[in-house]
Amino acid sequence: MAELVLGCVLDFVADPFEVPPDAAARLHGGVLIEGGRIAALGAAADLRRAHPEAAVTDLGSALILPGFVDAHMHYPQTGMIASWGKRLIDWLETYTFPEEMKFGDAAYARQQADLTLGLALANGTTTLASFCTIHPQSVDALFEAAEARGMAVVAGKTCMDRNAPDGLRDDPRSAYDDSARLLRRWHGRGRALYAITPRFSPTSSPEQLAALGALWAEYPDCLMQTHLSEQVDEVAWVRDLYPDARDYLDTYEAQGLLGARGLYGHAIHLDPRERDRLREVGAGLVHCPTSNTFIGSGLFDMGARIAEGQRVGLATDTGGGSSFSMLRVMAAAYEIGQLTGTPLHPAQLLWLATTGSARLLHCEDRIGTMGIGTVADLVALDLGATPAIAQRSARAQDIWEAVFPTVMMGDDRATAGVWVEGRRAI
Ligand code: GUN
Ligand code: ZN
């Protein structure tokens, strides 16, 4: 049965970093969902007339967008989000690793997977790319939970064979074998996509990185996700651990772990050679602004990265990031943009959280846009969800001024509806 959703539908037809915001976006009065896909966009009256059989959901002035795409997060860290007072390495050792240890218990993994997907949807996020833990059952748990909800999720077994506690280490062979088995089970099953997942160079031996590089060469249409140059202490540690590497990126590049389907979380403290290589291969840089401020990592220079032609997406990085809300992430990206001399336009922020992140996952033909025939993963935002937001948006002269208060001050209270593959989820 077709559903006609009426509101203020925002459809990006171009990249707002390349053309002015008003040329990048089109506004429509409604969207027709049929068979789980976007079937038509247009004026409300025209759509009603052309599709009298469709059930009508009238959301008034709500903004209807592609569902948010969170391009880097850690579902196993939901239980320790907002843990106080540490920086990256001692934060991992103090809070993260003890929590990840619990995912050897498949029932706990299933509980946290379902909890996390529920929180994501409540915040309007319909796709996420998540690290799991070292335990293969943590990967099954997330993909099963996503399948039950019809969600397109990217995930992979987090591989670590050194600098991690007992019980959280694999080895090059088992990392390869477990990842290969999971990849064959899940990649392309329904909406699932597998990402080969070395956590980061400090917790993998060169042999483990080489094994995962070989696996990626065997399955090049898989994604690969990791962390890169998040904190200066970490970069110095990588230099000690890999004395022959030209730089941090080279620890991945030398083992076949640099490519267009690679997702590099944070990527803050980059050398010129690293920036050149990332751009040349069209790798995905994932900006995690709420995490970068929370763990004290540094300021990602979005203006410079876009100007030099990098592909960039946005992510929560929960539990390093302290919110499941991509609105909070956009607000933090705006603030960091101000600190680095680039005030990001609301169109650019919304594009990064939808099309931009979908492009990093190589899914922009299906999600992150409102193109006809794409999957109807949608979010509707109430642009006056709190009194403070409502009084400001009431004065707006155009759509961008109406939406910016929600970008800056909004959270899950702004979620007025969520559709996953055309089915109402919230
Ligand atoms: N670097 C390696 N592991 C992690 C992690 O779990 N979170 C963050 N923010 N950075 C990392
Ligand atoms: Zn991360």
Side-chain angles (χ1 to χ4, degrees), residues 86-229:
K86 306 283 182 191
R87 289 171 60 83
L88 179 58
I89 306 305
D90 57 343
W91 174 84
L92 285 171
E93 287 167 357
T94 310
Y95 299 122
T96 310
F97 291 158
E99 177 64 17
E100 292 194 3
M101 210 87 84
K102 299 182 191 165
F103 286 71
D105 174 356
Y108 186 69
R110 283 195 290 271
Q111 172 197 302
Q112 294 305 97
D114 195 56
L115 173 66
T116 303
L117 293 183
L119 288 166
L121 287 175
N123 282 283
T125 298
T126 47
T127 285
L128 48 83
S130 181
F131 287 60
C132 299
T133 65
I134 192 106
H135 314 95
Q137 56 269 38
S138 74
V139 181
D140 290 326
L142 184 60
F143 279 133
E144 283 163 10
E147 198 169 64
R149 292 175 185 264
M151 292 172 73
V153 157
V154 175
K157 173 194 135 79
T158 296
C159 301
M160 299 195 274
D161 67 349
R162 63 170 168 171
N163 295 317
D166 289 348
L168 271 193
R169 288 191 309 273
D170 50 16
D171 59 55
R173 182 81 243 168
S174 69
Y176 176 95
D177 289 344
D178 287 346
S179 301
R181 199 173 323 110
L182 288 162
L183 183 165
R184 288 195 282 265
R185 183 178 306 154
W186 286 109
H187 187 61
R189 169 166 152 184
R191 306 189 73 191
L193 293 174
Y194 196 84
I196 295 165
T197 308
R199 179 178 218 116
F200 67 157
S201 295
T203 49
S204 287
S205 64
E207 295 73 27
Q208 177 164 84
L209 295 180
L212 296 175
L215 182 62
W216 201 16
E218 286 171 58
Y219 296 94
D221 67 324
C222 279
L223 295 152
M224 193 287 301
Q225 58 182 352
T226 190
H227 297 87
L228 176 67
S229 295

Side-chain angles (χ1 to χ4, degrees), residues 72 74 227 266 317:
H72 177 122
H74 300 254
H227 297 87
H266 306 278
D317 191 34

Side-chain angles (χ1 to χ4, degrees), residues 12-24 306-307 309-311 347-348 351 359:
F12 285 109
V13 293
D15 178 346
F17 288 99
E18 290 177 358
V19 302
D22 289 322
I306 295 283
Q310 306 283 5
R311 294 161 72 91
Q348 295 173 329
W351 182 89
R359 228 173 41 147

